[in-house]
Amino acid sequence: MPEQKLLMTEAQMDKTIQGMAQKIVDDGLQEAVLVGIKTRGVPLAHWLSRHLAQITRKTPKVGELDINLYRDDLSEVAEQPVVNKTEIPFDVSACGIVLVDDVLYTGRTIRAALDALIDFGRPKFVKLAVLVDRGWRELPIQAEYTGKRIETKADEVIKVMLQETDGKNEVLLKEHFSKR
Amino acid sequence: MSLSQRHILSVNDLTQKDVALILKTAENLEEIAHRPVKKVPALRGKLIGLCFFENSTRTRSSFEVAAKRLSADTLSISTGGSSIAKGETLLDTIKNIEAMQPDLLVVRHASSGVPQFLSKQVACPVINAGDGSHEHPTQALLDLMTILKEKKKIKGLHVAIIGDILNSRVARSNMILLKKMGAKVSVAGPATMIPAEVEQYGVEVAHDIKKIIPKADVIMMLRIQREREADGLFPSLREYARFFGLNRETMRHAKKDAVILHPGPVNRGVEISAEVADGPHSVILDQVSNGVAVRMALLYLMCGVKQMSF
């Protein structure tokens, strides 16, 4: 069995996300809309929006973005990634946007998400919120709102599990199978 | 996920899983048509060859738009303006196009089997965009997507295909694909236009459209090729319209929620009256929009990957 370590429990995740919501409000960005990056950024964006609603009594709109058509490795991957539905139910040009994802790693997903967003209009601004920043950036991208920052080895995997996608809420650090 | 087939030559080759993947991808790509910037970079740098050795407006422009929405480049050749008119052989033409390094070829030809033949001669994947009276797989896929969007299911639906079944590649591809996906299919048309061995497709045959229209959830009208009149397959367009045309009178027998499909181009007043073609049951223009989405899905699934496993 590969070793795995519990990084965050559901309660810790909730407290972290609450803290992120508070910081967004403190920065005066409560009017911003949230855009979750599929798959796990979407339930996280909804989680964040619930905390924002508790603070401001107004639920921010949440969009869903699939970035597969914008990946920079499409000509290299062995199998074509499955395209999921993108739903942006608001005019991007009229909004400030907080992009939400589970793990910030190389930064390539965020690069793709920025390109995708721009095709929907010209947002007033785009900020980034991630639950975990594990380092190892390959592009000049940083998050404004980071739940937890941790040092990782290259062969480790951060697994954010969410009720909607995995049946429970927790964050694990795993050793990569193929390296064993 | 990827398709089980490298080429799309016949709907016979597609598994149910392939069909599900194509339709799901098409459904998720559809939204791109409604964005301010109707384009994604997925196939940037890919070259799609559109080889139409037979006239086409709809299918050709549909493939062209599909390629452009995915940022692929297109190279178009057609019979009229090409060296074919100057006597170059089909194989020479294709070999010349292949020398320009296309990543995928879309082929239409008046002779059955040409896309199959060419797929063995070139290194890239080939999509059959209609070959003779054989098949038109992308039309059947877009029809399936249209039906699925309207009816939310395929299994158990009753689909009536009416017209020149004998010469129609649209009918053949649809019969095979609809049966594969669990629909019940009836065909109707003049006896001279029903192929002798049509039962092999597992379809029911009728010569009186009034018998099948009341049962049909989906009515698929085929274009009557006017030149068939000279072949003696039916006495006159007027008589054809009277017995096999869809109009207000025949639609009186149809189910309230029946939908009407037509692959185009429509002969108004022959196989379908203008009133019905533009009426509430008609989804003819939805077919065109869905056609772009289905072709985008195929281009994405077929030329986005390195073809190393083949």
Side-chain angles (χ1 to χ4, degrees), chain B residues 185-230:
Chain B
V185 180
S186 300
V187 298
T192 49
M193 291 180 156
I194 303 286
E197 74 303 358
V198 73
E199 290 81 7
Q200 66 172 310
Y201 299 108
V203 302
E204 194 184 291
V205 183
H207 295 289
D208 182 356
I209 66 167
K210 288 195 191 74
K211 285 200 178 125
I212 62 168
I213 282 181
K215 297 186 283 183
D217 300 297
V218 178
I219 303 167
M220 193 179 284
M221 300 307 291
L222 300 174
R223 185 177 79 92
I224 193 77
Q225 290 163 285
R226 289 165 183 262
E227 55 277 19
R228 302 285 173 210
E229 189 178 350

Side-chain angles (χ1 to χ4, degrees), chain B residues 147 150-151 216-220 257-261 281-283:
Chain B
I147 297 169
E150 291 296 324
K151 299 289 183 188
D217 300 297
V218 178
I219 303 167
M220 193 179 284
D257 61 348
V259 294
I260 299 165
L261 281 76
H281 295 278
S282 167
V283 291

Side-chain angles (χ1 to χ4, degrees), chain B residues 20 32 68 87 97 99-100 102 138 151 154 158 164 169 181 183 228 233 248 267 277 284 298 307:
Chain B
I32 294 167
K68 287 179 172 162
I97 289 169
M100 300 182 213
T138 61
K151 299 289 183 188
I154 299 294
H158 189 148
D164 184 357
R169 54 194 177 208
M181 303 310 283
R228 302 285 173 210
L233 291 179
R248 186 173 13 167
N267 289 309
I284 296 174
L298 286 174
Q307 303 288 348

Side-chain angles (χ1 to χ4, degrees), chain B residues 58-191:
Chain B
R58 211 168 322 260
T59 306
R60 185 197 176 127
S61 43
S62 180
F63 269 109
E64 192 169 339
V65 170
K68 287 179 172 162
R69 293 252 158 97
L70 292 168
S71 298
D73 297 307
T74 55
L75 176 165
S76 272
I77 57 151
S78 55
T79 323
S82 75
S83 312
I84 302 265
K86 299 177 189 165
E88 189 179 48
T89 68
L90 175 69
L91 195 53
D92 278 338
T93 305
I94 284 294
K95 285 291 176 190
N96 275 275
I97 289 169
E98 202 192 5
M100 300 182 213
Q101 312 300 327
D103 296 281
L104 185 145
L105 292 179
V106 177
V107 177
R108 166 170 287 192
H109 200 283
S111 298
S112 304
V114 167
Q116 283 80 348
F117 166 70
L118 293 179
S119 71
K120 296 192 177 78
Q121 308 294 329
V122 295
C124 65
V126 171
I127 298 179
N128 177 1
D131 62 328
S133 54
H134 177 231
E135 278 221 41
H136 193 349
T138 61
Q139 177 74 41
L141 286 165
L142 76 88
D143 288 342
L144 195 71
M145 179 177 177
T146 307
I147 297 169
L148 196 61
K149 278 172 76 177
E150 291 296 324
K151 299 289 183 188
K152 314 292 174 220
K153 61 166 189 178
I154 299 294
K155 211 173 173 163
L157 283 183
H158 189 148
V159 182
I161 307 178
I162 299 170
D164 184 357
I165 311 296
L166 180 65
N167 296 295
S168 172
R169 54 194 177 208
V170 175
R172 193 176 321 274
S173 288
N174 262 306
M175 286 191 287
I176 300 168
L177 189 61
L178 286 164
K179 288 302 290 184
K180 188 188 293 244
M181 303 310 283
K184 185 172 182 305
V185 180
S186 300
V187 298

Side-chain angles (χ1 to χ4, degrees), chain B residues 2-20 22 115-117 119-120 126-128 131 134-135 137 141 172-173 176-177 180-181 298 302:
Chain B
S2 47
L3 297 172
S4 69
Q5 298 296 313
R6 181 164 188 228
H7 307 287
I8 302 291
L9 302 172
S10 159
V11 289
N12 261 324
D13 305 331
L14 297 173
T15 63
Q16 290 196 5
K17 236 175 148 178
D18 288 335
V19 176
I22 294 165
Q116 283 80 348
F117 166 70
S119 71
K120 296 192 177 78
V126 171
I127 298 179
N128 177 1
D131 62 328
H134 177 231
E135 278 221 41
L141 286 165
R172 193 176 321 274
S173 288
I176 300 168
L177 189 61
K180 188 188 293 244
M181 303 310 283
L298 286 174
M302 290 169 75

Side-chain angles (χ1 to χ4, degrees), chain A residues 70 74 79-81 83 120, chain B residues 1 28 31 35 39 300 304:
Chain A
Y70 292 83
L74 277 181
E79 205 165 73
Q80 200 72 324
V83 179
F120 285 87
Chain B
M1 290 258 278
N28 291 335
E31 154 269 325
R35 295 185 187 182
K39 204 179 184 68
Y300 171 75

